[in-house]
Amino acid sequence: MQMDPVLVESAVVFAMVISVHMAVWNQLSWCCIALAVQAFYVQHKWDRLLRTGAAVFQFRPSANSGVLPASMVLPLLGLALRGRCVSVGNVYMERFAMVITVIGMMLALFLSLIALGITRPVPTNTCVIAGIASSAILYTVKQTLTVSEVIEVLEVLLIFVYLSLILLYLLPRCFTPGEALLILGGISFIINQLIKRSLVSSGNANSDPLPYFLPVAVLGLVLLGIFFAVLFVFMESETWSASLFFHTMTAVLGLGLLVPWLSLLTQHHPVTWLIHFITESNTRLWLIGFWAALLLLAIAVVMHQNSHRSGGSKKHQASTTVRKYFHLLTVLTFAPGLALDRPLLHLSAVACLSVLLFLEFVRYFRIRPLGPPLRHLLTLFLDERDSGPLILTHIYLLLGVALPIWLSPGNCTPKGGLGGASGLVPYAGVLAVGVGDTVASIFGSTVGEIRWPGTKKTFEGTATSVFAQIIAVVVFLIADSSINLNASYSWVVGSITMVAMLEAYTSQIDNLLLPLYLYILLLL
């Protein structure tokens, strides 16, 4: 009998949900379990809508809706972070983590409401289950959050609604419903936090400016993308005049809005602070030089592969092994930064994300002089997940390895650093995507013979993935003296195994989903 991969994926997610609640239990835990149950039922309604073409927007084909795994990320992240903050006695961050949990629940309930509202005939049983789960969540929220925290949740939900209406219309076939929930929900939360901090305080000269660069960059890129997506509906984007206007407006946005905004938030001039930050130690200069060499190597790989294609080869797409070269380069980029200088890696990842998204805008809008060449060079590396107007897989790769660094619970870290499995939290992206996904893909496609039921993934690929991540953990233990697993080896191996099973069965963007789940499990 053919096994449904969606059911196995759901079983793995439920196993991770139970694992989190075995370690952390509070008044919102029952709500998370109820949310998971209703998301499981609603996921099937979304899958039916996608198969029949009855969904409101055009979502990414050749994938299930992914509602269950995406719905649980933010709630579980909030619960894990709250447990960490309780252990160090940080009351403010404890409340903040509860808000994150509730925001994740409300976004998931909103997505469920859309599915139930457009499904015909009305799914009575699913509506009853969703109604019970929603009632339990709303009642618990009423008893748990203050009025100001509830308002913050509603603000994020409002931003999410408008952002979804705009971006899902402008970017058809780029996301599944689950991916849209995860990505647009995260962007909405970041924008709300930036606005809140800008209104509440004008900054503190003694505070660290580093955390402000990511939200300002995200907001600037979202504004830039939406503005030109709407503008180029009414005018031609491929002319030199349009390209000049694009570059001019980008400079105006950066220098006229983002730089002053950063100055207001940090009480430092960003350029002066950056120069001082980079030149603070010789290690940072050596790291930047090393990363520049890796960048040149990546460009050489792209040019080499395209030279073969233009030389008459009939091969139109890069092989899986060639695409995994970039995963290897990512490991070589992030591993030294994690061991030697995490603040520099944090800032460099923000800069890299900004550059990659800007170049994707240039490619998508055909902005001269780089737009047409980028279109030609990058088509070789497309895979089935790049079915929309944007090429996002390389950006997801960067996000996957960078998110555990950006989400590092600095305010909830004990003086001696995170102990046990939590010491591996910043390495979650490198382990899950850089090592695990790469090894699974290469070994599975070359020597794999035993396939997991219902999928193209192989048992050999998953087994070597787990083994390679365990070896990587040993290497990180040797290279990074701040990691001390104590007696948590079994938890690390179990977490890696569950995430590897999720990789074998999920049809979502694994570069984004796997690091987040491994981050949550290791944070416990």
Side-chain angles (χ1 to χ4, degrees), residues 221-303:
L221 290 165
V222 169
L223 291 177
L224 184 69
I226 293 176
F227 175 76
F228 281 105
V230 174
L231 179 65
F232 287 141
V233 171
F234 304 99
M235 64 179 290
E236 181 63 43
S237 64
E238 299 182 40
T239 63
W240 278 105
S241 59
S243 299
L244 179 61
F245 180 70
F246 174 86
H247 293 300
T248 302
M249 288 303 299
T250 301
V252 169
L253 176 66
L255 299 177
L257 176 62
L258 302 186
V259 170
W261 201 340
L262 271 173
S263 299
L264 174 68
L265 290 169
T266 64
Q267 297 297 296
H268 296 85
H269 192 281
V271 176
T272 305
W273 184 86
L274 278 173
I275 294 174
H276 173 74
F277 178 80
I278 292 172
T279 58
E280 197 170 4
S281 68
N282 290 330
T283 302
R284 290 180 174 173
L285 297 177
W286 280 108
L287 275 175
I288 292 173
F290 176 67
W291 292 338
L294 292 179
L295 174 62
L296 294 176
L297 181 59
I299 294 174
V301 170
V302 173
M303 301 302 293

Side-chain angles (χ1 to χ4, degrees), residues 212-488:
Y212 292 101
F213 280 84
L214 177 62
V216 171
V218 168
L219 179 60
L221 290 165
V222 169
L223 291 177
L224 184 69
I226 293 176
F227 175 76
F228 281 105
V230 174
L231 179 65
F232 287 141
V233 171
F234 304 99
M235 64 179 290
E236 181 63 43
S237 64
E238 299 182 40
T239 63
W240 278 105
S241 59
S243 299
L244 179 61
F245 180 70
F246 174 86
H247 293 300
T248 302
M249 288 303 299
T250 301
V252 169
L253 176 66
L255 299 177
L257 176 62
L258 302 186
V259 170
W261 201 340
L262 271 173
S263 299
L264 174 68
L265 290 169
T266 64
Q267 297 297 296
H268 296 85
H269 192 281
V271 176
T272 305
W273 184 86
L274 278 173
I275 294 174
H276 173 74
F277 178 80
I278 292 172
T279 58
E280 197 170 4
S281 68
N282 290 330
T283 302
R284 290 180 174 173
L285 297 177
W286 280 108
L287 275 175
I288 292 173
F290 176 67
W291 292 338
L294 292 179
L295 174 62
L296 294 176
L297 181 59
I299 294 174
V301 170
V302 173
M303 301 302 293
H304 177 71
Q305 292 297 318
N306 275 274
S307 67
H308 281 289
R309 180 177 64 173
S310 60
S313 174
K314 295 181 180 180
K315 182 180 178 182
H316 295 290
Q317 294 297 322
S319 65
T320 299
T321 303
V322 171
R323 286 201 295 267
K324 296 307 175 183
Y325 286 162
F326 297 100
H327 286 238
L328 176 60
L329 290 174
T330 302
V331 173
L332 294 176
T333 301
F334 275 76
L338 283 166
L340 297 175
D341 199 325
R342 293 180 188 177
L344 177 64
L345 184 62
H346 178 117
L347 183 61
S348 301
V350 174
C352 190
L353 175 66
S354 303
V355 171
L356 287 180
L357 281 172
F358 176 76
L359 290 177
E360 181 56 24
F361 291 157
V362 169
R363 185 205 65 84
Y364 173 60
F365 294 127
R366 296 182 175 90
I367 302 299
R368 295 176 182 272
L370 295 178
L374 284 174
R375 276 185 169 265
H376 173 74
L377 292 173
L378 295 182
T379 52
L380 182 65
F381 299 93
L382 294 177
D383 65 13
E384 60 183 7
R385 295 172 296 184
D386 290 313
S387 54
L390 295 184
I391 301 177
L392 296 173
T393 48
H394 60 298
I395 297 173
Y396 288 140
L397 173 60
L398 173 63
L399 284 175
V401 292
L403 278 173
I405 301 167
W406 293 335
L407 295 174
S408 181
N411 293 328
C412 295
T413 302
K415 291 183 178 180
L418 293 171
S422 299
L424 289 171
V425 158
Y427 292 89
V430 175
L431 285 171
V433 176
V435 177
D437 184 48
T438 303
V439 172
S441 181
I442 293 176
F443 276 82
S445 60
T446 54
V447 301
E449 295 182 358
I450 306 172
R451 299 193 180 277
W452 291 108
T455 76
K456 297 180 181 179
K457 307 294 180 64
T458 64
F459 171 80
E460 292 88 348
T462 303
T464 52
S465 167
V466 173
F467 185 64
Q469 290 181 74
I470 294 173
I471 294 176
V473 168
V474 175
V475 173
F476 295 151
L477 281 171
I478 297 172
D480 191 344
S481 59
S482 65
I483 303 175
N484 183 13
L485 294 184
N486 298 326
S488 58

Side-chain angles (χ1 to χ4, degrees), residues 35 62 65 81 96 147 168-169 189 205 263 272 288 320 484 500-501:
L35 180 72
S62 304
S65 62
L81 181 61
F96 180 70
V147 174
L168 292 179
Y169 174 77
F189 179 77
S263 299
T272 305
I288 292 173
T320 299
N484 183 13
M501 287 300 301

